[in-house]
C-alpha cells in the first residue's frame, strides 16, 4: 500500500509512496542492527583470556564492528539517495530549484516564505505563510520563468496564451505577478439583462494570441461540440438552446427546474461554451458560474460581456468552492476529460463534493464513443447512489467530429443524503 505526505515550508508539495527500494532500505537497516548486536554479543561472551590479550581482541572486535557499521551506513545513505532520485524521476517533480541561472528574480521573491508578524498561530500551529504554485510547474520551469520575467510595477507582457499553456500543462495555480495587465476599453457593453442575448462587439475582448480577430470569424468555425456558432446570439441556434429541444436528449430548463421543486438558486456549468446555459438560468433568476478556458476563442471575456460570471479554471484543478454549496451542476461532453477512468472519477468526486444533498446533476448530451464507455460512465454514476430523475440514451449526429450518429446520454440525477 502507498502513502501520501504533504510537506509545507518551501512553497512546494512533495508526494512520497512506499516502493520496493524503500522496503529494501528498511530491511537493510534492520540487518545492520542485528549484525551490530551479534558482534557485540560475541565480543562480550568470548572465553576469558589474559587481560592484555582480552584488551587486544576487544579493540580488534570494536574496529571490525566500526568498519561494518560505517559500511552499512554508507550503503543506507547511498540507497536513500538513489530512492530519492527514483521518486523524483517517477513523479517528475521534487521542488523548484531556484538556484538555476534562468530562474526569474520575481519568481524567487514570490516563493519566499513569510513569517507571521505575531509568531505561531495558536489555532493552526503555522509560523509562516507559504505562497502556492502548481507542483507540475517544475516540468515547465523555463516557461514559468519566462512568465515571471517582467518589470515589477510596470506593464505585464501580453502573454495570456503563455499562462494558459502553463495551466494546461498542470502548472496551476500560477504564481501571482506584480505588474499591470493589458486593459481593453470594453466599448459597447449593454446593460443587464439586455446583455444576455445581444451580440457582443469585437472591441470588448483581447484578440491577441488568437487566429481569429473578430466574432464573425469565430462563428464560421467548429470550436467544440458545445460551441458551433455559439458567439452569434441572434441569428444562430444558440438563442434556442435549453428552451427548445431538437431530440429526446435535449432537456429544457423549465422541465429540469421543476424537478428541483423550487430549490434551484445557484449552479455551476462545467465547460459552458459562450455561457448560454448561464444566460437561460439568469432569465429565471438562477445564478450560474460558468467554468471555461480561452481555447481558440475569448470565452471568458465574452461570458463577462453578457453580464455573467466566468471561472477561468482547468478541470484538473480542484473546484475553489466549499462543500455542499450548489443546487445544480450542469455538464456536457466537456466532462469527458480523457485519459484513464480514474481521471474522470476524481472529477466526479469533486462535483459530488460541491453539490448539496438533494441537488441536481444535469448530464447534457454526453457523447459515448462506444458501448464500453457508456457502461463505464453508467457504473461510475451508480457508484454515487444518485436518484435517476431523467435518463435518456439516444443517438445524435456528431457535427463536431465524425459527422456520424453516436450514442449520447442525457440525465438529471439527484444527490442522496448520506450519513
Amino acid at each position: 500500500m502507498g502513502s501520501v505526505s504533504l510537506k509545507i515550508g518551501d512553497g512546494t508539495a512533495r508526494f512520497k509512496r512506499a516502493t520496493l527500494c524503500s522496503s529494501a532500505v528498511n530491511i537493510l537497516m534492520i540487518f545492520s542492527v542485528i549484525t551490530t548486536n551479534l558482534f557485540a554479543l560475541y565480543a562480550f561472551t568470548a572465553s576469558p583470556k589474559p587481560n592484555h590479550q582480552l584488551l587486544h581482541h576487544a579493540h580488534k572486535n570494536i574496529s571490525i564492528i566500526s568498519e561494518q557499521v560505517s559500511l552499512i551506513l554508507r550503503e543506507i545513505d547511498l540507497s536513500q539517495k538513489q530512492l530519492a532520485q527514483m521518486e523524483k524521476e517517477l513523479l517528475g517533480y521534487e521542488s523548484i530549484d531556484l538556484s538555476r541561472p534562468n530562474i526569474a528574480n520575481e519568481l524567487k521573491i514570490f516563493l519566499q516564505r513569510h513569517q507571521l508578524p505575531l509568531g505561531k498561530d495558536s489555532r493552526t500551529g503555522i509560523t509562516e505563510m507559504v505562497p502556492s504554485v502548481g507542483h507540475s510547474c517544475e516540468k515547465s520551469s523555463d516557461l514559468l520563468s519566462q512568465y515571471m520575467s517582467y518589470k515589477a510595477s510596470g506593464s505585464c507582457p501580453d502573454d495570456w496564451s503563455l499562462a494558459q499553456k502553463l495551466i494546461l500543462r498542470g502548472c496551476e495555480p500560477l504564481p501571482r505577478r506584480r505588474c499591470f495587465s493589458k486593459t481593453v476599453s470594453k466599448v459597447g457593453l449593454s446593460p443587464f439583462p439586455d446583455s444576455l442575448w445581444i451580440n457582443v462587439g469585437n472591441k470588448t475582448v483581447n484578440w491577441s494570441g488568437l487566429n481569429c480577430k473578430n466574432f464573425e470569424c469565430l462563428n464560421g468555425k467548429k470550436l467544440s461540440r458545445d460551441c458551433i456558432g455559439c458567439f452569434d446570439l441572434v441569428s444562430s441556434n444558440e438563442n434556442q438552446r435549453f428552451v427548445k429541444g431538437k431530440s429526446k436528449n435535449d432537456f429544457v430548463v423549465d422541465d429540469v427546474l421543476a424537478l428541483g421543486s423550487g430549490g434551484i438558486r445557484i449552479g455551476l456549468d462545467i465547460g459552458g461554451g459562450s455561457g448560454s446555459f448561464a444566460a437561460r438560468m439568469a432569465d429565471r433568476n438562477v445564478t450560474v458560474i460558468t467554468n471555461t478556458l480561452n481555447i481558440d476563442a475569448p470565452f471568458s471575456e465574452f461570458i463577462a460581456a453578457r453580464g455573467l460570471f466566468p471561472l477561468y479554471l482547468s478541470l484538473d484543478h480542484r473546484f475553489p468552492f466549499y462543500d455542499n454549496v450548489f443546487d445544480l451542476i450542469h455538464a456536457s461532453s466537456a466532462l469527458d476529460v480523457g485519459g484513464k477512468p480514474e481521471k474522470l472519477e476524481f472529477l466526479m468526486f469533486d462535483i459530488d463534493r460541491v453539490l448539496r444533498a438533494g441537488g441536481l446533476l444535469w448530464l447534457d448530451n454526453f457523447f459515448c464513443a462506444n458501448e464500453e464507455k457508456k457502461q463505464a460512465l453508467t457504473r461510475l454514476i451508480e457508484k454515487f447512489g444518485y436518484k435517476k430523475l431523467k435518463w435518456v440514451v439516444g443517438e445524435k449526429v456528431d457535427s463536431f467530429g465524425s459527422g456520424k450518429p453516436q450514442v449520447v446520454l442525457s440525465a438529471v440525477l439527484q444527490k442522496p443524503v448520506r450519513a
Side-chain angles (χ1 to χ4, degrees):
M1 294 180 64
S3 65
V4 178
S5 63
L6 181 64
K7 177 184 176 183
I8 298 177
D10 59 352
T12 64
R14 182 176 178 186
F15 303 85
K16 300 179 180 179
R17 58 170 61 86
T19 64
L20 291 174
C21 293
S22 59
S23 300
V25 171
N26 292 332
I27 294 171
L28 188 59
M29 293 177 68
I30 294 172
F31 175 74
S32 67
V33 172
I34 295 173
T35 304
T36 303
N37 282 292
L38 287 174
F39 274 114
L41 182 64
Y42 170 76
F44 289 102
T45 59
S47 57
K49 296 181 178 179
N51 289 341
H52 67 279
Q53 292 183 357
L54 181 62
L55 185 61
H56 173 73
H57 282 282
H59 281 299
K60 185 177 180 180
N61 289 336
I62 292 174
S63 177
I64 294 173
I65 292 171
S66 298
E67 290 177 3
Q68 291 293 329
V69 170
S70 297
L71 178 61
I72 291 171
L73 290 175
R74 285 196 298 270
E75 291 292 336
I76 291 173
D77 183 61
L78 178 61
S79 298
Q80 288 177 333
K81 289 180 179 179
Q82 291 175 342
L83 176 62
Q85 182 62 31
M86 290 174 63
E87 286 181 326
K88 183 176 180 179
E89 291 174 357
L90 287 171
L91 298 175
Y93 171 76
E94 182 179 24
S95 62
I96 297 178
D97 184 3
L98 299 181
S99 64
R100 294 178 182 176
N102 62 341
I103 295 295
N105 189 56
E106 281 292 292
L107 181 59
K108 296 178 182 179
I109 295 174
F110 174 78
L111 291 178
Q112 286 178 352
R113 294 171 288 182
H114 302 281
Q115 298 293 325
L116 296 181
L118 300 179
K120 183 177 181 180
D121 182 79
S122 59
R123 290 176 297 177
T124 62
I126 65 173
T127 59
E128 57 190 8
M129 295 300 294
V130 182
S132 61
V133 62
H135 80 274
S136 291
C137 290
E138 168 67 10
K139 297 178 180 178
S140 305
S141 57
D142 291 341
L143 289 180
L144 180 64
S145 189
Q146 181 182 339
Y147 174 73
M148 292 300 288
S149 296
Y150 59 88
K151 183 180 179 181
S153 301
S155 297
C156 294
D158 189 9
D159 59 356
W160 72 265
S161 56
L162 172 62
Q164 183 165 274
K165 184 182 294 185
L166 283 166
I167 290 172
L168 292 173
R169 291 186 177 190
C171 185
E172 188 179 32
L174 288 172
R176 288 173 172 167
R177 300 201 291 189
R178 298 185 298 171
C179 59
F180 297 101
S181 62
K182 180 182 179 180
T183 58
V184 179
S185 57
K186 304 291 183 183
V187 176
L189 292 177
S190 303
F192 188 87
D194 296 338
S195 59
L196 292 174
W197 299 104
I198 293 178
N199 280 336
V200 174
N202 291 322
K203 295 183 178 180
T204 62
V205 302
N206 177 16
W207 294 98
S208 66
L210 297 172
N211 292 327
C212 285
K213 302 301 179 184
N214 54 62
F215 289 116
E216 291 74 21
C217 172
L218 287 177
N219 284 326
K221 293 182 177 295
K222 297 179 180 180
L223 298 174
S224 69
R225 287 189 174 97
D226 300 310
C227 186
I228 299 176
C230 67
F231 292 101
D232 185 354
L233 304 179
V234 177
S235 57
S236 74
N237 293 325
E238 194 70 9
N239 57 13
Q240 300 298 314
R241 292 185 66 193
F242 310 111
V243 291
K244 291 183 179 179
K246 292 183 177 181
S247 69
K248 63 180 182 179
N249 284 83
D250 296 330
F251 302 159
V252 298
V253 292
D254 291 330
D255 292 342
V256 175
L257 288 175
L259 296 174
S261 304
I264 306 299
R265 304 152 303 157
I266 57 173
L268 173 65
D269 187 15
I270 298 175
S274 61
S276 292
F277 177 77
R280 281 296 171 211
M281 301 303 279
D283 288 337
R284 291 152 178 77
N285 297 317
V286 177
T287 301
V288 170
I289 297 172
T290 304
N291 158 246
T292 187
L293 285 172
N294 284 7
I295 305 296
D296 298 326
F299 288 103
S300 294
E301 290 175 286
F302 187 87
I303 292 169
R306 299 179 74 175
L308 302 168
F309 190 159
L311 179 65
Y312 191 70
L313 193 75
S314 79
L315 292 184
D316 288 323
H317 196 292
R318 185 179 190 265
F319 291 124
F321 306 112
Y322 194 65
D323 300 355
N324 306 292
V325 292
F326 288 109
D327 304 312
L328 170 70
I329 294 180
H330 174 263
S332 55
S333 288
L335 194 68
D336 185 9
V337 290
K340 296 182 179 180
E342 291 83 358
K343 193 177 180 76
L344 176 59
E345 190 171 0
F346 272 109
L347 176 58
M348 284 293 296
F349 269 98
D350 208 33
I351 290 173
D352 180 81
R353 179 183 64 82
V354 298
L355 182 64
R356 69 167 174 82
L360 304 182
L361 171 60
W362 180 352
L363 194 60
D364 187 6
N365 283 285
F366 185 91
F367 276 82
C368 302
N370 48 53
E371 182 66 20
E372 181 181 354
K373 190 167 187 177
K374 188 193 77 172
Q375 293 296 333
L377 179 63
T378 302
R379 287 193 296 269
L380 178 59
I381 292 173
E382 292 175 347
K383 182 176 183 177
F384 289 84
Y386 282 33
K387 182 179 180 180
K388 297 178 181 178
L389 303 181
K390 290 176 73 73
W391 184 276
V392 177
V393 178
E395 283 192 348
K396 194 171 185 179
V397 174
D398 185 8
S399 55
F400 175 73
S402 62
K404 298 179 181 180
Q406 285 192 353
V407 176
V408 292
L409 170 64
S410 293
V412 179
L413 311 166
Q414 187 173 43
K415 180 179 175 179
V417 177
R418 302 191 187 101

